[in-house]
Amino acid sequence: MCGIIGYIGKQNAIPLLINGLKKLEYRGYDSAGIAFLHAKKLEIRRCAGKIQVLESSIKNENLNSLIGIAHTRWATHGRPSEENAHPHQVNGIVVVHNGIIENYLDLKNKLKKKGHVFSSDTDTEVICHLISSYAEKGLDIKNATRQALKHLNGAYSLGIIAEKEPDKLIAVKNDSPLIVGLGNSEFFIASDVPAFLSHTKDVIILDNGEMAVITKKGVSISDINDKPLKKKTTTINWNPEMAEKNGYNHFMLKEIYEQPRAITDTIRGRFSLDQGNVNLEEFSIKKSALKKFKKIFLVACGTSWHAALVGKYMIESLAKISAEADIASEFRYRDPVIPKDSLVIVITQSGETADTLAAQREAKKHGAKVLSICNVIGSSSTREADSVFYTHSGPEIGVASTKAFTTQLVALYIFSIALAKEKGAIDSRRSKKLLNDLLFLPEKVENTFLLNDSIIKIAKKYFQVKDFLYLGRNLNYPIALEGALKLKEISYIHAEGYPAGEMKHGPIALIDNDMPVLVLVAKGKVRNKLLSNIEEVKARGGEVISIVEKKRYKSLSRSPNTIYIPAINQYLSTVLFSIPLQLLAYHIAVLRECDIDQPRNLAKSVTVE
Ligand code: AGP
């Protein structure tokens, strides 16, 4: 769960690598480092702390290099410190690594017995020692790396350079993402495209077990047995500006405000209102085959799991197919019963979450078809799935997911309509109406932004509390969970999401005037129940914040803590309820002076178990 980048070409590698690292900082930010060849001599700079610290430490040195690798770390083995920061080096062979070497202790002990001396607590250092031991036997860096790889178990993407072969950059990928960027006589490797997006949009996406040997002249790719491979070039249709803050104080805020655009891009070309048909043209699962699915599993982690829960409600309510939402880390180990006529929908922003990928593989093992709802083109989940529904939200840099979540909800809504139509659970008239509602969604999201000032007032009132309770029902119960997760992640306030009907089965005991209770009051069949829940909280001296789908309910109109959001159908209300919760978490975190885009202990893509 780190970010790696490498460069070889005609420009000074050092600023390119530092700027690239900044785009990867969302993947980990407890220490950073860079290695390059300066006047043919290997130089390494590392430090604990953020990339800024590394940048400041080298800014007064007049360094120049045409090749280098760099790393931003999220510690797994060994505390964040200079000695544990990457790159690691043994005898002029330097490695940056993202992933975990599961058998590193065993390897380390064997190497120690042979006289190798270790200078860090990391799993990565064993890779350097292994490569170096083969290099000592006379192998070049490519073949020494190939031999070393045979000893490694686990997940790794690697960037390697060697002092003795200053014109070669080696990249290896196994279960952690690695992309090669193809410029004009210059090449990049990185964990994610934004790292080099301002230099090239043409990429080769490496698959597991592949190695790239890159010189200034070009890229050659082979498997671990040195069999040459032909790989296709993919052009990424993201703009470099998409990965910048564009005047916003934080990526999270920018990404909240990007939601109308992200939703528009996700729905573009997806349906025709003439017949109320959804367009799933790029799906390899044929639309006509959708009706054969008897059971749907939705599997994901974190925020994406909250989208999965909403998806369950949408699918059962619209398509009348039994659906289960599972946390990927549970699904992969709980021996799930997955009948052959099941569809497993994995939901993942990054497409690289280790538990989600493992669950996806488990589903395939059972013979189920897999649909990936994913934001990152060419990520592992998309490559392994039978079909992909891309959420075109653009790069999401803030660790707290916002636009990726609401576009997942939109993707699930569209897919549920397609499923319902094919199953005959809804007719064309109904699907036209449901799809038509989508066209109004981006504008209604814009209208929800007008609530920002009221939300700031509420944030100012409550930013110092220790606990928060979020209540919702039905489709908006997962939105309560998501609101609580957003607050926890970025403001470090303890927050719990609960189905409102469960309140009296336990959490009601917590209520006092120190704990605000935020209630999502949607229209429809559970409205009155939610109003009763509000009364129950008030009767116990609790402070209520209500987010109410428009239409003024008498009993709420006098409360200073009430926010009205635009009305829309019950499925899409999940998107509109999400916006004030994102803004509330954001403003509370700002007032608490938290590090919003890089919350403590977190990383954007959890590529380790
Ligand atoms: C969201 O705010 C989180 N940072 C986190 O829960 C995230 O949603 C989770 O790690 C899953 O990531 P994915 O969607 O990339 O698989």
Side-chain angles (χ1 to χ4, degrees):
M1 215 150 70
C2 305
I4 68 175
I5 179 165
Y7 174 82
I8 181 163
K10 52 196 179 186
Q11 302 188 58
N12 183 3
I14 294 150
L16 287 180
L17 293 171
I18 295 284
N19 287 333
L21 271 194
K22 287 181 186 164
K23 300 280 177 330
L24 296 174
E25 202 169 17
Y26 71 88
R27 302 178 65 88
Y29 33 83
D30 59 39
S31 47
I34 184 168
F36 48 91
L37 295 164
H38 181 65
K40 294 199 176 159
K41 224 180 116 263
L42 182 65
E43 299 280 348
I44 299 179
R45 303 284 187 282
R46 307 184 296 181
C47 62
K50 295 194 173 177
I51 291 154
Q52 233 178 342
V53 183
L54 176 70
E55 189 178 26
S56 315
S57 73
I58 57 174
K59 82 167 183 276
N60 295 328
E61 295 185 71
N62 187 18
L63 299 168
N64 219 297
S65 173
L66 301 176
I67 181 169
I69 52 179
H71 188 271
T72 181
R73 180 167 186 249
W74 185 85
T76 55
H77 296 68
R79 67 190 173 87
S81 63
E82 188 179 326
E83 14 354 312
N84 289 332
H86 298 215
H88 291 282
Q89 190 254 143
V90 174
N91 295 332
I93 289 162
V94 199
V95 175
V96 286
H97 167 215
N98 171 34
I100 287 185
I101 305 303
E102 284 165 9
N103 58 336
Y104 89 102
L105 264 183
D106 188 32
L107 294 170
K108 189 170 180 173
N109 289 335
K110 283 183 188 149
L111 286 159
K112 272 181 171 172
K113 276 185 196 146
K114 288 185 185 163
H116 288 255
V117 178
F118 282 77
S119 55
S120 78
D121 303 321
T122 65
D123 51 341
T124 306
E125 200 185 336
V126 297
I127 307 173
C128 302
H129 283 276
L130 281 168
I131 299 175
S132 139
S133 65
Y134 283 105
E136 271 168 26
K137 289 179 187 155
L139 295 183
D140 64 5
I141 184 68
K142 173 186 167 187
N143 286 306
T145 302
R146 278 185 46 231
Q147 293 308 321
L149 294 179
K150 293 182 182 165
H151 299 267
L152 305 181
N153 295 335
Y156 47 86
S157 59
L158 307 173
I160 305 163
I161 58 173
E163 196 172 31
K164 284 192 182 145
E165 295 173 64
D167 52 355
K168 257 183 223 161
L169 168 63
I170 308 279
V172 181
K173 135 111 193 160
N174 191 49
D175 274 345
S176 293
L178 198 58
I179 322 282
V180 180
L182 310 172
N184 179 11
S185 303
E186 59 179 357
F187 302 93
F188 299 80
I189 57 167
S191 306
D192 198 359
V193 174
F196 54 69
L197 196 57
S198 52
H199 301 278
T200 180
K201 291 182 181 180
D202 293 332
V203 305
I204 294 173
I205 297 163
L206 294 181
D207 282 302
N208 286 343
E210 291 182 355
M211 172 190 261
V213 178
I214 308 170
T215 66
K216 270 182 224 161
K217 293 192 182 132
V219 180
S220 63
I221 296 175
S222 57
D223 68 11
I224 190 176
N225 299 316
D226 212 14
K227 184 174 153 231
L229 299 168
K230 271 211 149 139
K231 300 278 293 180
K232 76 167 192 304
T233 302
T234 304
T235 303
I236 304 290
N237 59 0
W238 291 350
N239 302 321
E241 301 76 51
M242 284 172 142
E244 304 291 343
K245 279 193 209 149
N246 290 346
Y248 286 92
N249 284 341
H250 301 98
F251 278 111
M252 181 183 178
L253 190 61
K254 176 192 166 230
E255 287 158 8
I256 290 173
Y257 279 93
E258 276 178 343
Q259 289 175 105
R261 196 272 310 143
I263 292 169
T264 306
D265 286 351
T266 301
I267 66 182
R268 183 173 293 121
R270 273 279 166 216
F271 55 84
S272 97
L273 280 179
D274 297 349
Q275 299 300 319
N277 282 340
V278 172
N279 166 17
L280 299 177
E281 259 165 26
E282 82 281 28
F283 276 42
S284 65
I285 304 169
K286 291 275 157 284
K287 212 151 86 168
S288 54
L290 292 182
K291 54 172 153 308
K292 296 193 190 117
F293 294 123
K294 300 254 168 13
K295 175 100 195 170
I296 314 265
F297 293 87
L298 300 110
V299 186
C301 298
T303 287
S304 299
W305 174 64
H306 298 151
L309 282 168
V310 175
K312 167 192 161 67
Y313 282 89
M314 286 181 178
I315 289 168
E316 294 198 330
S317 165
L318 285 166
K320 311 291 174 214
I321 305 175
S322 155
E324 270 180 48
D326 255 286
I327 292 174
S329 54
E330 291 296 316
F331 183 85
R332 63 182 290 193
Y333 290 119
R334 76 166 170 84
D335 297 327
V337 176
I338 311 173
K340 283 225 160 32
D341 46 10
S342 303
L343 173 67
V344 176
I345 303 178
V346 295
I347 305 170
T348 167
Q349 186 285 128
S350 61
E352 300 294 348
T353 301
D355 284 319
T356 306
L357 288 174
Q360 175 167 352
R361 288 168 193 151
E362 183 68 23
K364 289 292 312 169
K365 246 197 264 161
H366 283 73
K369 288 275 183 226
V370 172
L371 164 66
S372 169
I373 295 183
C374 189
N375 192 41
V376 177
I377 297 166
S379 56
S380 302
S381 175
T382 65
R383 277 177 290 134
E384 294 179 26
D386 295 297
S387 285
V388 182
F389 192 131
Y390 279 112
T391 53
H392 296 289
S393 68
E396 191 180 63
I397 312 288
V399 166
S401 186
T402 51
K403 61 178 181 171
F405 176 64
T406 48
T407 52
Q408 286 168 347
L409 299 180
V410 167
L412 285 160
Y413 177 73
I414 297 174
F415 186 71
S416 304
I417 297 170
L419 209 55
K421 186 111 192 288
E422 284 306 312
K423 277 267 175 190
I426 57 171
D427 59 13
S428 298
R429 215 173 56 112
R430 176 115 161 94
S431 72
K432 269 191 238 176
K433 168 78 183 82
L434 290 164
L435 292 169
N436 194 52
D437 285 350
L438 255 184
L439 299 178
F440 296 92
L441 184 63
E443 194 190 324
K444 291 191 181 197
V445 172
E446 297 268 8
N447 290 340
T448 313
F449 294 148
L450 301 175
L451 301 167
N452 194 39
D453 286 348
S454 317
I455 295 167
I456 292 175
K457 278 190 196 138
I458 295 178
K460 284 186 176 155
K461 204 161 154 190
Y462 295 111
F463 76 98
Q464 282 165 321
V465 301
K466 290 207 167 59
D467 307 281
F468 245 98
L469 188 60
Y470 285 65
L471 301 177
R473 277 181 185 250
N474 204 340
L475 282 136
N476 286 305
Y477 152 54
I479 304 305
L481 294 179
E482 173 59 10
L485 178 65
K486 284 292 85 90
L487 189 69
K488 274 188 270 213
E489 275 187 300
I490 59 168
S491 75
Y492 318 138
I493 293 178
H494 166 242
E496 279 193 55
Y498 241 83
E502 275 288 293
M503 190 180 60
K504 51 176 101 53
H505 298 283
I508 201 161
L510 297 170
I511 289 169
D512 61 19
N513 55 11
D514 285 335
M515 186 171 76
V517 181
L518 189 148
V519 189
L520 304 177
V521 186
K523 295 184 290 153
K525 59 185 175 197
V526 290
R527 183 197 68 186
N528 287 334
K529 313 270 176 219
L530 284 154
L531 294 178
S532 308
N533 293 137
I534 290 176
E535 293 312 319
E536 285 159 11
V537 174
K538 283 186 182 161
R540 282 150 188 90
E543 289 268 312
V544 175
I545 302 164
S546 328
I547 304 193
V548 185
E549 207 177 347
K550 214 157 190 163
K551 180 174 160 188
R552 288 181 179 257
Y553 303 121
K554 251 188 170 169
S555 55
L556 292 169
S557 56
R558 263 174 273 124
S559 164
N561 280 2
T562 302
I563 286 176
Y564 293 94
I565 61 162
I568 200 159
N569 76 44
Q570 57 167 328
Y571 309 104
L572 294 178
S573 75
T574 54
V575 174
L576 298 183
F577 274 111
S578 300
I579 311 293
L581 301 190
Q582 296 168 351
L583 286 169
L584 182 66
Y586 174 79
H587 290 303
I588 288 180
V590 169
L591 289 162
R592 290 168 70 92
E593 296 178 6
C594 294
D595 191 342
I596 289 172
D597 286 331
Q598 292 160 4
R600 69 183 181 209
N601 305 336
L602 291 176
K604 182 77 181 158
S605 323
V606 185
T607 55
V608 293
E609 206 183 328

